[in-house]
Amino acid sequence: MRVIITNDYESLSKWAAHFVAKKILDFNPTPDHKFVLGCPTGSSPLGLYKELINLNKKGIISFKNVITFNMDEYVGLPESHPESYHSFMWNNFFNHIDIDPKNVHILNGNAPDLLAECAHYEEMIVEAGGIDLFMGGIGPDGHIAFNEPGSSMTSKTRIKTLTTNTIQANCRFFDNDVNQVPKQALTVGVGTVMAAREVIILCNGHTKSRALKHAIEGGVNHMWTVSALQLHEHGNIVCDEDACADINVSTYKYFKDKQRIEGLLDTYINMF
């Protein structure tokens, strides 16, 4: 696992965006050989999306030959609802880049058969050739996508009932009313994320510090599903200083020394 520690959220977002852009550029996607990108929602990737939009506007990177698969969507929330993940992705990313709408895939939380919807989503990922790079965030309780504590580490796309912690964390998007927050979601599984050829997880802020500690210092544990990244051949976590509040000093120094020696921070921050 590679852990990059940046000074703040702005530098975290810039590093991650340049990392993603470089992966797409190196892949050199074509109409017959598209790059497949996994996309998260929530507050953590907003800066990442803003910088990717900026790179697209400058002509540095194109999404014309990129296929996307989103991590999750609420069950029962209309796609037109301002807090649906369909709305989130189009308002914050897709409407501002040159992606072909037919290459965008987001789970349908209003499908008549939710189990069939989940199975079909996995089939589409396979048909696309698998995920080349899955971007993601971490919940305060260490969940990735909506894989709540206790989720199977080999899980695939399915229906998940959300924990009280997740509902409370998301109620800020629903007028701070927990009763408005959907209680279930469709989500890719831990196994779906782990099947990607590369994964990058964003972790920012003091509220994510316990999750980061379990992700990199604890053992692989289904109560902290992000810890599965320890088993990935090409797993990356990019975090800010605030998120490092709970990790050991020796751990912090090791990763800071490593990124200094390898030049990992400057390489991507100053890439474009």
Side-chain angles (χ1 to χ4, degrees):
M1 178 192 297
R2 179 163 60 180
V3 178
I4 299 297
I5 302 171
T6 65
N7 291 334
D8 50 32
Y9 177 71
E10 182 179 356
S11 55
L12 176 156
S13 300
K14 189 173 183 179
W15 192 96
H18 289 190
F19 177 88
V20 173
K22 180 67 160 53
K23 293 295 177 180
I24 296 173
L25 289 172
D26 288 348
F27 188 91
N28 192 25
T30 66
D32 297 323
H33 184 53
K34 294 183 175 67
F35 187 89
V36 185
L37 183 66
C39 296
T41 53
S43 57
S44 293
L46 285 173
L48 161 67
Y49 289 146
K50 183 178 179 179
E51 180 63 15
L52 286 175
I53 291 168
N54 179 48
L55 295 176
N56 181 241
K57 298 291 187 187
K58 290 180 176 179
I60 294 172
I61 185 174
S62 172
F63 292 89
K64 288 181 179 178
N65 295 313
V66 173
I67 298 174
T68 65
F69 285 91
N70 257 77
M71 280 187 154
D72 39 33
E73 177 60 288
Y74 289 116
V75 168
L77 203 66
E79 289 184 6
S80 58
H81 191 285
E83 297 305 330
S84 77
Y85 290 158
H86 279 75
S87 293
F88 177 97
M89 290 304 302
W90 285 101
N91 292 337
N92 292 294
F93 192 38
F94 296 143
N95 280 333
H96 310 285
I97 59 174
D98 61 344
I99 196 166
D100 187 336
K102 74 174 184 293
N103 289 332
V104 171
H105 301 86
I106 306 176
L107 283 155
N108 180 7
N110 297 286
D113 187 336
L114 294 177
L115 293 177
E117 170 69 9
C118 293
H120 180 55
Y121 205 68
E122 288 285 340
E123 291 170 359
M124 288 193 294
I125 292 174
V126 172
E127 290 170 1
I131 307 289
D132 292 300
L133 176 62
F134 226 133
M135 307 181 293
I138 306 179
D141 59 3
H143 70 257
I144 50 174
F146 273 130
N147 292 286
E148 304 283 36
S151 294
S152 167
M153 293 302 209
T154 60
S155 55
K156 300 296 184 182
T157 303
R158 68 212 189 284
I159 308 168
K160 281 295 293 183
T161 298
L162 307 184
T163 65
T164 299
N165 284 340
T166 298
I167 292 170
Q168 290 177 339
N170 289 349
C171 74
R172 69 188 188 277
F173 302 118
F174 293 86
D175 299 323
N176 289 314
D177 183 357
V178 295
N179 295 314
Q180 294 185 37
V181 185
K183 304 304 185 288
Q184 289 186 313
L186 303 185
T187 181
V188 297
V190 180
T192 311
V193 176
M194 291 291 288
R197 283 176 272 280
E198 190 157 11
V199 180
I200 181 171
I201 298 294
L202 314 180
C203 183
N204 64 288
H206 190 272
T207 59
K208 307 294 180 69
S209 60
R210 287 184 65 238
L212 182 64
K213 180 178 180 63
H214 283 275
I216 64 179
E217 293 183 343
V220 177
N221 188 328
H222 67 169
M223 297 308 292
W224 298 85
T225 53
V226 69
S227 65
L229 198 64
Q230 295 176 27
L231 303 177
H232 200 287
E233 185 178 5
H234 299 292
N236 306 272
I237 295 179
V238 55
C239 55
D240 60 12
E241 291 283 349
D242 287 344
C244 296
D246 285 352
I247 63 175
N248 293 326
V249 173
S250 58
T251 302
Y252 175 87
K253 288 185 174 180
Y254 169 73
F255 285 116
K256 290 288 281 189
D257 286 345
K258 190 175 190 297
Q259 71 186 40
R260 175 181 54 80
I261 293 168
E262 298 179 7
L264 293 173
L265 189 60
D266 291 339
T267 295
Y268 290 100
I269 287 289
N270 301 317
M271 179 162 290
F272 303 110

